[in-house]
Amino acid sequence: MSELTPFALKDAPALIEAVFPVQKVSFEAQQERTSVQSQTLTGLGSYWKGRKPLILVRSIILGSLLPQTEDNEKDLETLEMLLAFDTDSLAKRAIAKGAIKPTDFVTSIKIYNPWDFFTHNIKPDDDRFTEIDSLQAPFDSNALGLKIRWRRDIDNNDKVPLFKKYLDQLETYEEKVSLCKRPEECDPAWLYSHVWPRANAHFIKFGVTSDSLEELIEQFGILRFGRKPAVGDVFSGGGSIPFEAARMGCNAFASDLNPIACMLTWGTTNIIGAYPKERQLIDNAQQQLVDSVEEEIKKLELETDEEGNRAKAFLCCLEVKCPETGWTVPLIPSLVISKSRNVVAKLRPDYKSKRFEVDIFSGVTKDALKQAEKGTVQDGNLIYELDNKTYRTPIKTLRGDYRAEGGVTKNNLRTWLKSDFKPQHDDIFQERIYAIQWITKDTVNLGRQETYFSAVNSSDIEREKRVEAIVSKSLSSWQKMGLVPDMEIEAGEETTRLGRERGWTHWHHLFTPRQLLLAAIVKEKIVGMPTSVQPVLFLSLAKMLDWSSKLCRYGTGAARESITQTFYNQAYNTNFAYGVRSFVTGRNYLSLTKSSSTTSGALETQNKQASDIENTCDLWITDPPYADAVSYHEIAEFFIAWLRKNPPKPFDEWTWDSRRALAIKGSGDDFRKGMVEAYSAMANNMPNNGMQCVMFTHQDTGVWSDMVGIFWAAGLQVVGAWYIATETSTELKKGGYVQGTVILMLRKRPEGEKAGFKQRLLPAVRAEVKNQIETMMHLNDEVQDKMGEPVFNDSDLQMAGYAAALKVLTSYTHIGGEDVTNFALRPRTKGEVTVVDEIVQQAAEAANSLLVPEGLSAESWQKLSGIQRFYLRMMDIETTGATKLDNYQNFAKAFRVEDYTRVMGNMAANKARLKTIPEFASRDLTESNEIGSTWLGHLIIGLQQLLAETDPQAVISQLQADLPDFMEIRALLIDVLVFIENKAPEQETRDAAEVLRARLRNMRALGN
């Protein structure tokens, strides 16, 4: 390491305060998200859904440590290289992925001597050899009968120029990234080999010379803080922030009130970050656990039939007595067992016992498969056929739902007892197995197993009774030993439904007898293993439990059937039908992850409240639980119930309780107080030149107002904000989900008193907003000229406007004569609009007044109302393909649109779009509607009339009659029509806009 001057950059502004590659970080973050199970940390437990992308954490740490120089463009370029976003790095990442084949190169890019890189299958004695050997790409290799492959003497470094050339032809960064591995998946020595000479040249003035990220981090830590930087997170959750900090070479500190979060965070460095020798010990322990449990299961003979076939899965369901017939009917939403193998279940009446047997049929016709899709549960009703008559009863009637005092819904379900592990004989809901998936005896031990489905026979029932007998005999002792939960389910936002929908009162009620037996065996084996490996195996057990409860839904996809995990989403979803894995498949979930990425920095994990921390960190990065719809404290209790008794070291130092009363959650006065305490503690445990980064999901200006108050009271000042698209849409997240994350950067507020009043603050806010956005737009223009795409989009610029307002506001200690701490902590009344709300809204309006859509004049833009600005702004954004719902949400709030949904054609999270002009109904355009009374509303009506072949002059006359100020706004109408002519997605509307615009422009006198 070169000689460095400690604290030389002590007061230097951080790069992230001025520039940040938000668009590229967004694409990379989404690429990481869509990797699903191949994400680095999800293998530890994908039941924790709130992990922030590792690439986002990396970019924040680098942006916070690197200094600004006099050249913002060069600073940004260097940061992108260090993140592996530059063209050379993308080429290397594409080489690592291998998605671009030799035929892709010769087909699509110009190569003068392709055979310098590739070989082909044409022999020298072939008449075509000379002709083909002189080919210049591009050419169609298939048409020529050529099989192209890389020459064996070409190494990866030789390939880089070709890959760069191939990627350069793609229009967007997103397209390029889709062909690349993530930076963390590549060999860092090779990936960054070209980066260090360039980075060192840029940083030479600071004395920085590094050839690894860890060295760079340490050197800038010394320059800023006099030591290797320390990064902390007091809401560590799944551990992505402290893990990435430790992996980059920082010393990391993590704390969380929740012991499950602490356990997962501990696992990031002690399992994924373990050195190879330690990792081998972990793998051996997991295999030893699997082998010992497997031996026990075989001894009990509970998963094998008389012929030696091994059960893979048990398909279970509830059954209920029909009040109309007295028959007991299974509750199965779909009678399809396997779409891929055309297997269905059919109900066969047993008149003697007045119940239904379930028969299994394989290889049925497509019509039979389609008919079986509708089972005995449809639209909240029990529905079945008996003797050619259909019976239908609402599920709520079967449960006996009724409205109790105070409007609370209750029902007649029996409340289960601590000693229960299955329904009692007179319970409303019974449980049964209705089918079994078997692995044939000859393929049980093979990698590729053959399976089949069968109905349940008497031998299967006998084995199940043996399982129940073992559980009945052992449950009490298991609970005393801590092998099975004895913990009650505490009522909460999510947990209350377990009692309401099933009558369950204790956590072990969520498991079948077979699942309880299996988990008890696993826990007993873990307790008997060396204490050094027990912490890891606790994570293994937690992962297995997530995939082994009555909440695991059985599904029949087109490709194959599957059983979900308990927390496939962030809720307790009770099922009428569910799948139960045998150990032959359940054991797979005891193996945690193959991901391995050694951490060079230390990570300390503590189980405590955020406000109780004592560790000093130079950079605090947090993802606080603001207005969080996810009740992590309740979800964690599912696992706490199993793990809380006799935990191994270091877990025994933690409090194995969710401590709901202490959890910072929701919103309101208590939330703000808890947040102030947390952020004050971090500020007090941070050097004066330290920084904080706060991530949260942007909802509305009320969120920003609350955050201002929290930071005020904690003595912090906002110095920057960025908007990152971190989330992706799935079938489980359709609808109004906000998909972006706001990154707020903060420093300690300078000491001393500073008072301000609204009348003086507003001009200062507007000036700061204007300066911030104009600076960013200038950088956008420079980068777009050189790189072909901008750094920031409209959402980023809008967030920068908010940040500029917060930067001004949080620099004050008194607003309007009131101490900001008192202001932050005083209770709010519903509907109250504070001075902060007003200023933040003014900032939004100031920002958006500067963001004039391309093709519209600034003069016209200033005259338009909020709904008109919203529609035209989003029409402009849609031309770029940006159709995420959060864009529409953010701009609707910024433009103060009352109900933006009235102008939306699609509200799906990833397919959101405006109504096209032909799609507006007459009821949308009345004078009483928000857009109907505007100039744009009248233009939409006029364009619709033209599309209906109304005479253009009649349309002009109607506009004149409807708009008293017609002549004064004629130029504005023309400007808007030119915009629609260029931006409307359908050609017919563009043509109509052109006609109407031409007629308006050619008018010579009123009435023409």
Side-chain angles (χ1 to χ4, degrees):
M1 186 186 296
S2 60
E3 286 296 321
L4 299 169
T5 305
F7 301 106
L9 295 176
K10 181 172 178 282
D11 300 315
L15 185 56
I16 199 169
E17 295 176 70
V19 295
F20 193 57
V22 285
Q23 297 307 300
K24 293 182 180 180
V25 171
S26 292
F27 290 138
E28 297 278 358
Q30 291 184 59
Q31 179 87 338
E32 185 178 325
R33 278 281 194 254
T34 54
S35 301
V36 195
Q37 294 299 330
S38 72
Q39 293 179 65
T40 302
L41 302 185
T42 53
L44 294 177
S46 57
Y47 46 84
W48 202 279
K49 307 293 183 184
R51 294 182 175 99
K52 283 292 180 276
L54 297 171
I55 191 64
L56 173 59
V57 179
R58 175 168 292 215
S59 63
I60 290 168
I61 292 174
L62 277 171
S64 301
L65 289 174
L66 300 184
Q68 297 176 33
T69 70
E70 65 284 349
D71 188 343
N72 275 357
E73 190 179 341
K74 190 69 176 177
D75 290 342
L76 180 64
E77 179 185 317
T78 306
L79 176 58
E80 289 187 352
M81 283 194 298
L82 292 169
L83 292 168
F85 296 172
D86 61 295
T87 54
D88 285 88
S89 296
L90 287 175
K92 292 179 179 180
R93 291 165 56 187
I95 292 168
K97 185 162 186 174
I100 309 171
K101 306 301 181 187
T103 50
D104 298 325
F105 289 101
V106 299
T107 303
S108 61
I109 64 173
K110 193 167 188 174
I111 310 174
Y112 290 108
N113 299 302
W115 313 124
D116 288 348
F117 301 93
F118 308 109
T119 62
H120 55 74
N121 58 321
I122 305 302
K123 307 292 185 198
D125 56 356
D126 192 304
D127 292 341
R128 296 178 298 157
F129 180 79
T130 303
E131 177 186 351
I132 286 171
D133 210 39
S134 61
L135 276 175
Q136 294 182 0
F139 54 78
D140 188 340
S141 58
N142 291 329
L144 295 170
L146 294 177
K147 292 182 179 178
I148 310 290
R149 62 180 184 273
W150 289 103
R151 274 177 33 179
R152 291 186 177 180
D153 60 332
I154 298 296
D155 66 18
N156 283 340
N157 288 321
D158 297 325
K159 297 176 183 179
V160 170
L162 273 189
F163 275 82
K164 283 176 65 176
K165 196 170 185 179
Y166 184 91
L167 293 174
D168 282 345
Q169 70 180 337
L170 302 179
E171 288 188 11
T172 67
Y173 187 82
E174 190 172 14
E175 289 177 277
K176 298 171 185 178
V177 168
S178 69
L179 297 171
C180 300
K181 277 198 169 185
R182 305 196 304 276
E184 61 177 324
E185 296 178 294
C186 302
D187 171 29
W190 178 59
L191 180 62
Y192 288 102
S193 59
H194 68 282
V195 171
W196 301 120
R198 302 180 202 176
N200 289 336
H202 184 59
F203 296 134
I204 193 168
K205 68 181 80 172
F206 308 120
V208 170
T209 54
S210 54
D211 58 12
S212 72
L213 192 60
E214 294 81 3
E215 278 191 8
L216 182 86
I217 293 292
E218 183 169 4
Q219 290 181 34
F220 273 110
I222 291 170
L223 289 169
R224 282 197 180 275
F225 310 112
R227 61 174 184 175
K228 180 186 284 192
V231 177
D233 178 9
V234 296
F235 304 108
S236 68
S240 60
I241 293 171
F243 168 75
E244 187 62 18
R247 184 163 66 165
M248 293 173 70
C250 304
N251 286 329
F253 168 75
S255 72
D256 202 292
L257 187 66
N258 194 313
I260 301 301
C262 292
M263 182 180 74
L264 289 167
T265 300
W266 178 91
T268 62
T269 51
N270 287 278
I271 299 173
I272 293 173
Y275 286 101
K277 186 179 288 187
E278 296 168 331
R279 191 56 187 269
Q280 187 60 55
L281 292 174
I282 290 170
D283 293 344
N284 292 343
Q286 289 175 337
Q287 188 59 52
Q288 184 182 340
L289 174 63
V290 167
D291 292 344
S292 62
V293 176
E294 177 70 20
E295 185 180 345
E296 187 76 17
I297 294 295
K298 286 183 177 178
K299 192 187 301 181
L300 292 171
E301 297 182 346
L302 298 175
E303 291 188 356
T304 309
D305 68 7
E306 295 78 4
E307 297 176 3
N309 301 310
R310 180 78 179 266
K312 181 178 183 181
F314 301 86
L315 277 56
C316 304
C317 69
L318 302 184
E319 57 180 5
V320 67
K321 185 172 286 187
C322 173
E324 196 169 349
T325 64
W327 277 61
T328 300
V329 188
L331 294 169
I332 310 175
S334 172
L335 294 172
V336 174
I337 303 294
S338 172
K339 287 182 180 178
S340 60
R341 288 181 274 185
N342 290 36
V343 182
V344 300
K346 291 185 179 180
L347 303 187
R348 173 168 49 85
D350 180 350
Y351 289 93
K352 184 177 180 181
S353 59
K354 295 187 73 172
R355 68 190 300 269
F356 289 92
E357 296 296 336
V358 181
D359 297 327
I360 305 300
F361 295 88
S362 300
V364 301
T365 65
K366 287 185 178 179
D367 288 342
L369 194 69
K370 186 171 182 61
Q371 189 176 355
E373 287 179 357
K374 290 187 176 181
T376 59
V377 181
Q378 298 176 34
D379 301 322
N381 297 296
L382 165 67
I383 181 168
Y384 69 100
E385 189 175 290
L386 180 64
D387 296 334
N388 297 318
K389 183 178 179 180
T390 299
Y391 296 90
R392 181 190 300 267
T393 308
I395 299 295
K396 61 184 180 181
T397 300
L398 298 172
R399 278 196 309 252
D401 287 6
Y402 64 92
R403 187 74 68 179
E405 188 177 344
V408 179
T409 300
K410 293 191 175 183
N411 55 48
N412 294 329
L413 293 179
R414 180 184 68 87
T415 299
W416 284 36
L417 304 174
K418 180 181 175 182
S419 57
D420 287 330
F421 61 90
K422 65 174 184 175
Q424 294 185 9
H425 72 280
D426 56 349
D427 279 349
I428 292 173
F429 289 139
Q430 297 293 310
E431 298 171 353
R432 67 178 289 184
I433 300 172
Y434 67 91
I436 302 176
Q437 183 180 19
W438 295 95
I439 304 169
T440 60
K441 64 179 180 181
D442 297 327
T443 64
V444 168
N445 298 317
L446 300 181
R448 190 177 182 84
Q449 298 169 332
E450 292 181 12
T451 67
Y452 66 94
F453 292 91
S454 76
V456 178
N457 61 33
S458 58
S459 297
D460 302 324
I461 294 172
E462 181 58 36
R463 277 188 291 275
E464 205 60 29
K465 286 181 178 178
R466 282 165 45 207
V467 171
E468 293 174 1
I470 295 171
V471 176
S472 178
K473 178 183 176 182
S474 309
L475 182 61
S476 178
S477 62
W478 284 346
Q479 289 177 326
K480 288 177 183 176
M481 296 165 61
L483 302 181
V484 166
D486 60 358
M487 189 169 122
E488 288 188 47
I489 299 171
E490 184 181 341
E493 291 290 329
E494 274 296 318
T495 50
T496 295
R497 66 190 300 190
L498 298 172
R500 183 179 65 246
E501 296 175 9
R502 293 295 181 269
W504 296 334
T505 60
H506 288 69
W507 287 104
H508 69 282
H509 295 157
L510 278 64
F511 300 84
T512 67
R514 185 175 289 275
Q515 290 169 331
L516 288 172
L517 172 60
L518 178 57
I521 293 172
V522 171
K523 181 79 182 286
E524 186 176 34
K525 298 295 183 183
I526 291 173
V527 172
M529 294 182 73
T531 54
S532 60
V533 296
Q534 285 185 29
V536 170
L537 300 180
F538 260 49
L539 273 90
S540 296
L541 174 58
K543 183 177 179 180
M544 188 195 80
L545 292 167
D546 180 36
W547 294 86
S548 182
S549 79
K550 294 178 190 175
L551 276 56
C552 294
R553 181 166 49 98
Y554 178 76
T556 55
R560 61 184 178 86
E561 51 283 345
S562 62
I563 300 173
T564 65
Q565 65 188 119
T566 299
F567 297 109
Y568 62 87
N569 65 2
Q570 298 146 332
Y572 283 106
N573 303 285
T574 56
N575 302 305
F576 293 111
Y578 47 92
V580 174
R581 293 176 174 83
S582 70
F583 188 66
V584 78
T585 50
R587 65 188 180 191
N588 297 333
Y589 299 100
L590 288 174
S591 297
L592 287 169
T593 179
K594 297 296 182 185
S595 293
S596 179
S597 187
T598 303
T599 52
S600 57
L603 170 59
E604 179 184 353
T605 306
Q606 293 183 6
N607 173 221
K608 58 170 59 178
Q609 289 187 81
S611 57
D612 289 343
I613 57 160
E614 297 175 347
N615 295 58
T616 297
C617 288
D618 307 305
L619 176 62
W620 291 101
I621 304 177
T622 51
D623 178 16
Y626 186 84
D628 206 337
V630 183
S631 301
Y632 282 114
H633 49 289
E634 295 183 28
I635 290 173
E637 288 168 359
F638 175 93
F639 303 101
I640 290 171
W642 283 91
L643 305 179
R644 67 192 184 110
K645 289 192 176 181
N646 305 315
K649 290 184 178 299
F651 301 171
D652 60 345
E653 300 169 7
W654 304 340
T655 301
W656 283 86
D657 185 285
S658 66
R659 293 186 280 181
R660 291 191 189 187
L662 299 177
I664 300 175
K665 54 185 180 291
S667 58
D669 299 332
D670 288 341
F671 165 78
R672 283 198 304 275
K673 184 174 182 294
M675 289 283 279
V676 168
E677 290 173 352
Y679 282 94
S680 296
M682 284 183 272
N684 292 335
N685 288 278
M686 180 176 84
N688 288 333
N689 68 329
M691 290 187 75
Q692 290 197 32
C693 171
V694 182
M695 309 182 198
F696 70 99
T697 302
H698 173 60
Q699 300 282 345
D700 55 35
T701 51
V703 172
W704 289 87
S705 181
D706 273 354
M707 297 308 277
V708 169
I710 289 162
F711 301 145
W712 257 343
L716 296 166
Q717 180 179 2
V718 175
V719 294
W722 307 102
Y723 183 75
I724 307 294
T726 52
E727 307 301 326
T728 56
S729 176
T730 68
E731 290 301 307
L732 297 172
K733 291 176 66 175
K734 286 181 176 176
Y737 283 80
V738 178
Q739 295 175 291
T741 295
V742 173
I743 308 299
L744 281 179
M745 302 306 301
L746 305 102
R747 290 187 181 276
K748 287 186 177 182
R749 186 169 58 241
E751 293 183 4
E753 299 291 314
K754 185 177 180 182
F757 296 88
K758 186 171 75 170
Q759 293 78 3
R760 294 181 182 178
L761 278 171
L762 283 174
V765 166
R766 292 193 191 101
E768 185 68 31
V769 169
K770 185 173 187 292
N771 178 65
Q772 178 71 46
I773 289 181
E774 287 180 348
T775 300
M776 292 171 68
M777 291 174 76
H778 176 69
L779 181 61
N780 247 10
D781 293 340
E782 288 186 344
V783 173
Q784 187 161 15
D785 288 343
K786 293 184 179 180
M787 306 298 292
E789 53 188 349
V791 184
F792 313 114
N793 69 11
D794 285 345
S795 292
D796 307 314
L797 295 168
Q798 188 187 52
M799 291 306 107
Y802 281 125
L806 268 62
K807 186 175 181 180
V808 172
L809 276 171
T810 52
S811 67
Y812 287 86
T813 58
H814 292 77
I815 299 290
E818 184 175 7
D819 177 80
V820 294
T821 301
N822 295 335
F823 174 87
L825 295 178
R826 69 174 168 80
R828 305 284 173 84
T829 58
K830 190 173 183 180
E832 176 187 11
V833 178
T834 68
V835 63
V836 175
D837 296 324
E838 290 182 40
I839 294 172
V840 170
Q841 185 60 51
Q842 290 273 352
E845 293 175 5
N848 285 295
S849 69
L850 296 168
L851 302 179
V852 182
E854 182 185 11
L856 200 64
S857 72
E859 184 180 359
S860 295
W861 182 247
Q862 298 300 328
K863 294 177 182 177
L864 295 174
S865 65
I867 186 65
Q868 295 178 100
R869 286 186 178 185
F870 172 78
Y871 189 85
L872 297 176
R873 159 62 60 199
M874 300 319 298
M875 182 183 279
D876 185 35
I877 289 176
E878 283 182 3
T879 63
T880 68
T883 56
K884 288 183 177 294
L885 185 61
D886 64 325
N887 274 333
Y888 299 86
Q889 293 170 327
N890 292 339
F891 279 102
K893 285 158 185 164
F895 289 128
R896 293 194 181 187
V897 176
E898 291 177 14
D899 183 7
Y900 78 102
T901 63
R902 298 292 293 270
V903 298
M904 295 297 292
N906 192 326
M907 290 287 290
N910 257 13
K911 296 179 181 178
R913 67 170 179 84
L914 297 169
K915 284 180 181 175
T916 61
I917 285 173
E919 287 178 330
F920 278 93
S922 57
R923 64 178 177 274
D924 299 324
L925 300 169
T926 65
E927 287 292 323
S928 61
N929 284 340
E930 196 173 2
I931 197 168
S933 60
T934 65
W935 300 320
L936 178 59
H938 286 284
L939 281 181
I940 291 173
I941 293 171
L943 291 171
Q944 288 184 337
Q945 290 172 336
L946 283 179
L947 290 169
E949 300 185 357
T950 303
D951 178 64
Q953 187 56 50
V955 174
I956 297 284
S957 298
Q958 188 66 49
L959 287 172
Q960 288 177 301
D962 292 341
L963 298 172
D965 54 351
F966 176 78
M967 290 308 294
E968 288 82 1
I969 62 165
R970 187 167 67 97
L972 180 146
L973 298 178
I974 291 170
D975 201 19
V976 171
L977 285 168
V978 171
F979 181 83
I980 293 172
E981 187 181 334
N982 291 321
K983 302 293 183 179
E986 63 286 336
Q987 188 60 47
E988 296 83 358
T989 300
R990 293 183 182 211
D991 294 341
E994 182 183 10
V995 170
L996 188 55
R997 184 260 304 163
R999 287 298 184 111
L1000 285 175
R1001 183 168 285 165
N1002 292 333
M1003 289 180 67
R1004 284 190 289 269
L1006 186 63
N1008 280 10

